[in-house]
Amino acid sequence: MKTRKVYIKTFGCQMNEHDSERMLGIFCSKGFFEVEEPKDADVIVFNTCAIRQKAEHKFFSSLGRVKHLKRKNPNLKIIVAGCIAQLRGEKIFNFAPYVDYVIGPDNINYLTEILNGKISNKVLISENPEIAKINLPVLRKNLVKAWVNIIYGCNNFCSYCIVPYTRGRERSRPSESIINEIKILAEQGYKEVTLLGQNVNSYRDGDIDFPELLKRINEIEGIERIRFITSHPKDLSKKLINTMMSCEKICEHIHLPLQAGSDKILKLMNRKYTYEEYLEKIMWLRQLIPNISITSDIIVGFPQETDEDFNKTIDALKEIQFDGIFAFKFSSRPGTAAAKLDGHLPEEVKAFRLAEVLKLQDEITEIKNKFLEGSIQEILIEGKDEEGFTIGRTRTNKVVKIIKDLAPGKIIKVKIIKGHRHSLEGEII
Ligand code: SAH
Ligand code: SF4
Ligand code: F3S
């Protein structure tokens, strides 16, 4: 039998990256192998992201570029998966009638039936709470660190965010299945796991909350490092911080999206914390875990954001001194509460504010990285970069380049000899 080939292009967050690994797992179990170019494929999958308009544009132009392949090869199947699939459903056919299937994130398990030719339905976007309980095959490309889902969906409805509409309601995966998966990963030689969810802090399986889950994962032999994303500030508890302190495998890093420095904007965003409350949690973290690195997400140009509000974000960045941030211009998403607000801002204002934020944070990051010069750091070797440098990561999630060849998976101590804006240079000691 002819082997079949699949091409997968992934947009968006780690959750999507991991869903692609799960889809690849299904494809491989059906005898497919992955190809690098859409033109070589029998099946093309776009795993899409709807978080901002730009992400949607990127996908639709990629989709347009494969249209001619279908004309050449009528047997080619094109599948649209991910958050745009869920959001736009069959409307995708209006734009691109050459698409064969539209599959939302909760329905990727049906890929097996599609590949077996057992499903006639072309749009699979209905609610599927079972997805949190199904163990799908996974094909991971990284052999050192692995993503592991612990919670699906989101109930927070931040006013700007599309995720609650694309990923559905919050559902925790049974702890037993998480622990089993990580035990198997450890046996396979994985050293690091990153627990995934839109709001990992609200994980719950009976008596097992997020700190308790972390404690149990910390016991698994072979796993050396535990990370998690994302933590919602409103649910970050002292109990979690104490657990981070007491479990030696949990890395000294937290991604804690602030979004804005103005209480007026935070309220309009429905974030459910004030700047003061956020700051208090930063103080707890820094008091109890002295070397912790803290990163964040910032949105600029939210509707009704005045210069004064924006300056509060600038002041917050100066006051908190994050190790790094992701910053975005507000993008109006269909059906969200923020889309309906008055006072949307012109593109130029958003672009100006974004540039300001990025410039300031670059300066802060550079100073922080310079400060690490001369320090000794434990790094986990991940592989090589395009220039051939060996790349490792500190427990605080900073990238370190070293000149020596080292096998991925090794944990070594290095001395930081140079701190750059976006990376560190290290030397083995
Ligand atoms: N669940 C995570 C992150 C989800 S999306 C959390 O709550 O932190 C990642 C980031 O994208 C968000 O933190 C936010 O900063 C940004 N984002 C989400 N929707 C956006 C929008 N409509 N416009 C601009 N940025 C957005
Ligand atoms: Fe979106 Fe807020 Fe949920 Fe994060 S917590 S996914 S920003 S609604
Ligand atoms: Fe994008 Fe969906 Fe992730 S909208 S950021 S792929 S949850």
Side-chain angles (χ1 to χ4, degrees):
M1 197 185 86
K2 188 173 160 282
T3 23
R4 290 185 294 170
K5 289 165 278 183
V6 59
Y7 168 85
I8 298 197
K9 182 163 174 69
T10 310
F11 303 82
C13 63
Q14 287 91 342
M15 235 148 304
N16 251 21
E17 295 279 353
H18 185 48
D19 280 351
S20 287
E21 293 180 334
R22 304 202 295 164
M23 287 192 274
L24 260 182
I26 298 177
F27 276 107
C28 281
S29 71
K30 295 280 152 202
F32 277 79
F33 71 92
E34 194 187 8
V35 291
E36 301 285 319
E37 298 287 338
K39 66 172 173 42
D40 300 326
D42 303 292
V43 179
I44 294 177
V45 181
F46 291 105
N47 195 9
T48 63
C49 171
I51 200 84
R52 285 168 290 271
Q53 233 163 30
K54 208 159 108 190
E56 276 207 73
H57 281 157
K58 267 203 223 154
F59 154 63
F60 279 110
S61 49
S62 296
L63 182 59
R65 281 197 294 273
V66 300
K67 183 178 177 184
H68 70 286
L69 296 176
K70 189 91 179 191
R71 247 180 277 131
K72 271 193 221 153
N73 173 12
N75 291 325
L76 171 69
K77 295 275 177 262
I78 299 179
I79 299 177
V80 176
C83 288
I84 300 178
Q86 188 66 37
L87 187 68
R88 306 285 178 194
E90 56 190 37
K91 290 201 194 91
I92 289 177
F93 299 127
N94 301 342
F95 174 84
Y98 50 91
V99 166
D100 295 277
Y101 295 99
V102 173
I103 313 175
D106 274 4
N107 286 271
I108 55 177
N109 55 309
Y110 289 112
L111 202 54
T112 315
E113 279 79 4
I114 288 180
L115 296 176
N116 288 341
K118 288 206 175 124
I119 271 193
S120 53
N121 208 338
K122 299 184 84 182
V123 183
L124 296 154
I125 53 171
S126 12
E127 236 177 273
N128 180 16
E130 290 306 302
I131 192 73
K133 298 195 188 133
I134 305 169
N135 287 322
L136 294 174
V138 186
L139 189 91
R140 293 183 167 92
K141 289 184 194 156
N142 193 308
L143 300 173
V144 177
K145 34 184 219 168
W147 287 306
V148 175
N149 279 130
I150 66 161
I151 183 163
Y152 294 80
C154 183
N155 286 350
N156 288 317
F157 289 92
C158 301
S159 67
Y160 49 81
C161 189
I162 198 78
V163 172
Y165 306 90
T166 66
R167 297 262 163 179
R169 294 293 59 74
E170 198 173 273
R171 285 143 290 157
S172 291
R173 179 177 169 196
S175 54
E176 206 186 301
S177 120
I178 298 170
I179 303 283
N180 282 341
E181 182 175 3
I182 299 177
K183 281 187 179 156
I184 294 168
L185 289 169
E187 280 163 19
Q188 292 171 339
Y190 282 89
K191 297 285 181 262
E192 178 179 307
V193 288
T194 301
L195 311 177
L196 291 180
Q198 296 299 346
N199 181 13
V200 289
N201 296 352
S202 54
Y203 178 85
R204 183 164 283 282
D205 175 20
D207 294 336
I208 303 177
D209 60 3
F210 185 51
E212 185 54 38
L213 180 71
L214 284 169
K215 280 185 201 149
R216 294 186 186 197
I217 296 171
N218 196 60
E219 301 292 303
I220 299 175
E221 218 169 296
I223 296 298
E224 308 277 354
R225 289 179 167 194
I226 303 167
R227 302 184 186 280
F228 49 85
I229 34 173
T230 303
S231 292
H232 194 302
K234 78 174 162 60
D235 299 319
L236 177 81
S237 62
K238 278 235 166 92
K239 185 174 174 195
L240 175 63
I241 302 174
N242 286 329
T243 306
M244 290 177 77
M245 244 171 49
S246 64
C247 295
E248 72 287 355
K249 293 178 183 172
I250 303 178
C251 290
E252 295 77 25
H253 169 237
I254 192 160
H255 186 67
L256 199 65
L258 167 65
Q259 312 298 2
S262 144
D263 287 342
K264 179 191 102 187
I265 298 298
L266 286 173
K267 193 156 198 324
L268 286 172
M269 284 177 164
N270 192 29
R271 287 293 284 180
K272 304 189 180 86
Y273 53 83
T274 62
Y275 177 63
E276 281 307 313
E277 286 163 348
Y278 181 90
L279 202 58
E280 192 187 1
K281 296 197 175 177
I282 296 284
M283 313 249 253
W284 294 351
L285 284 162
R286 285 191 171 144
Q287 262 161 21
L288 295 169
I289 313 169
N291 294 323
I292 194 166
S293 95
I294 305 176
T295 53
S296 202
D297 291 345
I298 296 290
I299 298 177
V300 298
F302 190 80
Q304 301 174 32
E305 184 186 69
T306 60
D307 282 337
E308 197 189 341
D309 293 319
F310 173 66
N311 284 334
K312 289 187 178 156
T313 298
I314 292 284
D315 290 344
L317 296 181
K318 287 183 184 159
E319 179 166 27
I320 296 170
Q321 302 272 313
F322 289 116
D323 290 81
I325 60 163
F326 295 107
F328 312 100
K329 289 183 278 182
F330 168 74
S331 169
S332 186
R333 306 312 292 134
T336 60
K340 292 167 208 138
L341 285 174
D342 295 331
H344 283 244
L345 299 179
E347 188 54 32
E348 309 84 78
V349 175
K350 294 190 218 175
F352 178 80
R353 289 181 182 172
L354 180 65
E356 289 279 289
V357 157
L358 292 175
K359 185 167 150 271
L360 170 62
Q361 183 58 45
D362 267 357
E363 289 163 12
I364 295 171
T365 307
E366 194 169 355
I367 292 170
K368 288 213 145 192
N369 284 351
K370 284 239 173 307
F371 186 73
L372 291 175
E373 288 177 3
S375 71
I376 309 294
Q377 302 282 334
E378 178 202 286
I379 63 168
L380 170 62
I381 305 298
E382 294 184 357
K384 295 214 157 150
D385 68 2
E386 298 101 38
E387 298 163 291
F389 285 109
T390 296
I391 292 292
R393 228 171 249 268
T394 64
R395 289 177 59 98
T396 51
N397 210 30
K398 294 181 199 264
V399 174
V400 181
K401 292 184 182 191
I402 26 183
I403 296 177
K404 206 171 157 61
D405 262 347
L406 289 164
K410 265 197 160 4
I411 291 183
I412 55 159
K413 289 246 162 85
V414 295
K415 181 172 175 184
I416 303 302
I417 49 171
K418 198 100 191 96
H420 300 288
R421 192 159 277 194
H422 298 292
S423 67
L424 303 167
E425 270 175 55
E427 196 176 70
I428 302 177
I429 49 166

